[in-house]
Amino acid sequence: MMRQIETAFAIFALIFLTGATVTILTPASALLAYGSSGSPMVRLLALAVGLSGVGLFVLHKNAINHLISRYWPILIPPAFAVLSIFWAADLSLALRRCAALVMVTLLGVWLAERYSKRALFNIVLAAGLILCFLSLAAIVAKPGLGTHTASNGANLEHIGAWRGLLAHKNDFGRLAALVGVMCVIAAFTRSRLRLGYLVGALLALGLVLGSRSGQAVVLFALPPIAVAGMMWLRTLTPQFRALAIVLVVPFSAVVAVGSGFVVTAVLEALGKDATLTGRTDIWYAVWQALTGHFLLGGGYGSGWQVVSVEVQKIMGWSRGLLSHAHNGYLDLMTDIGAIGVGLTIALYLWTLGKTFRAIVAGKDIEFAAFGFAVVVFCLAGNWVASFLLAHNSVYWVLVVAIFCKLSQAPEYRVQYRYVRANKYNAIAQ
């Protein structure tokens, strides 16, 4: 019975961290400012989920010991965020956000300790599919909730776009894209229910298209392509694999730089906004406003207060203030500076390396592919969104859980040592 309760909590916690409950439990007026943390009920629920996760982590056998001995790298970005309290622009806000970040980090550690790789994959996929089906029901049965409408009072340019149970179409499309990626991975790694997983992927694709989110379309396609590339590298000899990696890195850099010019030209030819709906202008303004705060930022969760007025001046706005930069790297830099961003990216790349080694070694292909896809998803998605080291994001929890799970001693090594020890004992006797 306890096992079922823990699994139900894990699924609910993951759904909660998508932000789905904010729209349901918060009056529409509180959502006028995109990124609202919701009603007091939402914050109380967040506290309950966070404390429950911490309690489960503390009570789990050897979890604290494993965190210190095996998983310690995942503590580095949150630790630097906590350190930023000493220079935070808003001390109380930084304290609250840091406490939430620590709690969700420990929740991710507990998930890795409590569940096997396959079970963890299943729980994440179940949470995503449940939210997708509930969102589809809201879109069909209650369009005022499931779609952007004029009555929402905000984001009028997105009227008609699907947002499901989330506050914004981009958030919803991004989540549906991740669910679709997981369904694709499951369809290729599991022969049983393969058709069902393919149907799930098609459902997710339909939700992505209904959200009208360009970033979600990219995030639906990019991770599977990246995973396919890793699977191809796995078939090569070590020498050719190293050569391929050496050639791919500069080629990718050239493509990344050149694609910017190509995308701009295509957008202009189609009559679209080449500034990504003004995002590139905001990025430039934030970068300029960060002068004097590049290294350390303005404190975790409160950095935007340092740059908001200057951004407003640079953008030439007479009224209205942004609450984020529409870019996860810049948003995090306003909080914990270039040092904090560097530490966070290093952890993401470390996790990526772990997944790559697991794929090449042919160990736990499904989970390794899932982990690789999630990291690629996060690194790419944060160019136009902000969830790199968020205190209330399911994506950070997934990265933590994946890193910790792949840091555990592989079972085959334990078994090998056990067999070898028995062999030596038999010889001695």
Side-chain angles (χ1 to χ4, degrees):
M1 181 65 179
M2 187 60 187
R3 179 177 299 179
Q4 286 76 13
I5 293 175
E6 287 181 331
T7 300
F9 167 76
I11 292 175
F12 174 78
L14 292 174
I15 293 176
F16 174 80
L17 288 171
T18 64
T21 57
V22 175
T23 307
I24 298 173
L25 299 177
T26 303
S29 59
L31 290 175
L32 292 179
Y34 174 52
S36 168
S37 59
S39 64
M41 185 177 296
V42 173
R43 292 191 286 272
L44 183 61
L45 189 56
L47 181 62
V49 169
L51 291 177
S52 298
V54 173
L56 289 169
F57 161 77
V58 172
L59 294 175
H60 193 82
K61 184 179 180 181
N62 292 326
I64 297 178
N65 178 51
H66 291 164
L67 175 62
I68 297 173
S69 61
R70 297 178 182 176
Y71 314 144
W72 58 268
I74 62 101
L75 294 175
I76 296 176
F80 191 80
V82 172
L83 185 64
S84 73
I85 290 174
F86 291 100
W87 60 83
D90 188 329
L91 179 60
S92 62
L93 180 59
L95 282 170
R96 295 196 302 272
R97 295 287 173 85
C98 286
L101 178 62
V102 171
M103 287 191 287
V104 297
T105 300
L106 295 181
L107 173 65
V109 177
W110 172 74
L111 288 172
E113 282 282 292
R114 175 63 182 81
Y115 296 102
S116 66
K117 295 182 178 69
R118 186 177 182 87
L120 182 56
F121 181 93
N122 289 340
I123 286 173
V124 176
L125 182 56
L129 286 173
I130 289 172
L131 187 54
C132 283
F133 279 113
L134 291 177
S135 294
L136 181 61
I139 292 167
V140 174
K142 197 173 182 180
L145 174 65
T147 63
H148 283 288
T149 64
S151 62
N152 297 148
N155 305 122
L156 299 181
E157 68 275 18
H158 303 319
I159 291 177
W162 294 355
R163 66 177 188 176
L165 296 181
L166 302 184
H168 196 275
K169 71 180 186 71
N170 289 335
D171 294 334
F172 176 61
R174 191 182 311 117
L175 177 68
L178 180 60
V179 174
V181 169
M182 293 186 67
C183 286
V184 170
I185 292 174
F188 279 92
T189 56
R190 303 180 181 184
S191 57
R192 186 181 179 185
L193 300 178
R194 177 166 294 165
L195 180 60
Y197 292 121
L198 291 175
V199 171
L202 290 176
L203 168 65
L205 178 59
L207 296 176
V208 167
L209 297 177
S211 72
R212 303 181 191 172
S213 173
Q215 60 178 275
V217 174
V218 173
L219 293 177
F220 186 93
L222 182 60
I225 293 174
V227 171
M230 291 302 100
M231 293 300 181
W232 172 72
L233 286 177
R234 180 171 173 262
T235 64
L236 303 178
T237 63
Q239 294 80 3
F240 279 105
R241 188 183 305 132
L243 177 62
I245 294 174
V246 169
L247 294 176
V248 164
V249 171
F251 176 77
S252 300
V254 172
V255 170
V257 173
S259 62
F261 298 102
V262 174
V263 170
T264 300
V266 171
L267 289 174
E268 290 177 348
L270 295 174
K272 300 292 185 179
D273 183 5
T275 66
L276 300 176
T277 322
R279 284 187 176 90
T280 56
D281 295 333
I282 296 172
W283 298 347
Y284 173 78
V286 173
W287 184 262
Q288 293 298 313
L290 274 168
T291 301
H293 301 278
F294 279 110
L295 288 181
L296 299 177
Y300 185 76
S302 64
W304 192 255
Q305 297 184 20
V306 175
V307 301
S308 59
V309 175
E310 187 64 24
V311 169
Q312 182 184 13
K313 293 179 181 178
I314 295 173
M315 296 293 291
W317 294 339
S318 59
R319 61 178 182 175
L321 290 176
L322 281 172
S323 59
H324 56 92
H326 290 284
N327 180 288
Y329 301 96
L330 282 176
D331 269 327
L332 191 58
M333 188 174 288
T334 65
D335 282 350
I336 53 178
I339 296 176
V341 172
L343 294 174
T344 305
I345 293 176
L347 178 70
Y348 274 87
L349 295 179
W350 195 337
T351 308
L352 195 70
K354 285 179 173 291
T355 62
F356 173 73
R357 287 193 296 271
I359 290 175
V360 171
K363 300 181 298 184
D364 301 305
I365 290 296
E366 179 181 83
F367 189 83
F370 164 60
F372 191 88
V374 167
V375 176
V376 171
F377 183 98
C378 291
L379 291 176
N382 272 279
W383 281 108
V384 289
S386 184
F387 53 91
L388 199 64
L389 187 64
H391 69 283
N392 56 355
S393 171
V394 67
Y395 303 107
W396 171 247
V397 173
L398 294 183
V399 171
V400 170
I402 290 166
F403 181 92
C404 294
K405 202 67 198 173
L406 293 175
S407 298
Q408 295 173 359
E411 294 180 2
Y412 79 95
R413 289 185 180 177
V414 175
Q415 293 172 356
Y416 176 74
R417 287 196 296 266
Y418 176 78
V419 171
R420 184 172 61 182
N422 283 349
K423 179 179 177 181
Y424 288 158
N425 289 338
I427 294 174
Q429 292 175 357

